Amino acid sequence: MSADTDSTGPADEDAAAPSRPGPAGRDRAGCGLGRMLGRLRRVGPAERMRILVIGGRAIRVAVREGAPGWPPLLLCNGIGASLELFQPFVDALDARRPVIRFDMPGIGGSPAPVIPYHLGTLAPLLAGLLDQLGYQ
């Protein structure tokens, strides 16, 4: 199962608008919807953001397509850092280089796992991610 989210369109326009106080004095940036819209806005314009389920774990993935024949660069963030942290680095790379980055389970836009993950589960998760995206 995958849910594609285009990083351009009305959601971006809404996310770029200043925060407006809502009920109980909370601004939109502090609510779950505001945080999600902010995350979508920070992903590069040529990237596709989606949630993929791999081995029973849902993870949020951003894929920047590159030139045919170029192997993708797979970026693994540190514990507690979302994929947006890599945006300046991705922006500095040659646009022909495909880039795949993701949120670890329970970080950023990836839901918390039922069973905590550990380093030993990372390799099969990444292998499944690359398989699902069509990379060898």
Side-chain angles (χ1 to χ4, degrees), residues 19-28:
S19 296
R20 288 172 276 190
R26 291 181 50 183
D27 70 8
R28 193 174 44 167

Side-chain angles (χ1 to χ4, degrees), residues 24-98:
R26 291 181 50 183
D27 70 8
R28 193 174 44 167
C31 72
L33 177 60
R35 285 191 304 272
M36 178 54 90
L37 291 174
R39 287 185 190 120
L40 292 177
R41 185 170 41 109
R42 283 177 265 164
V43 174
E47 294 186 89
R48 287 183 49 200
M49 177 90 67
R50 54 189 134 169
I51 302 288
L52 298 176
V53 177
I54 299 149
R57 294 183 188 254
I59 60 171
R60 184 174 67 135
V61 179
V63 177
R64 181 180 84 178
E65 301 296 331
W70 282 59
L73 176 62
L74 177 63
L75 299 174
C76 301
N77 51 4
I79 294 175
S82 70
L83 61 82
E84 286 85 8
L85 182 67
F86 284 124
Q87 191 63 53
F89 178 70
V90 172
D91 291 343
L93 293 171
D94 188 322
R96 295 173 291 179
R97 171 71 56 204

Side-chain angles (χ1 to χ4, degrees), residues 118-129:
H118 54 82
L119 194 55
T121 62
L122 185 57
L125 181 72
L126 295 179
L129 171 61

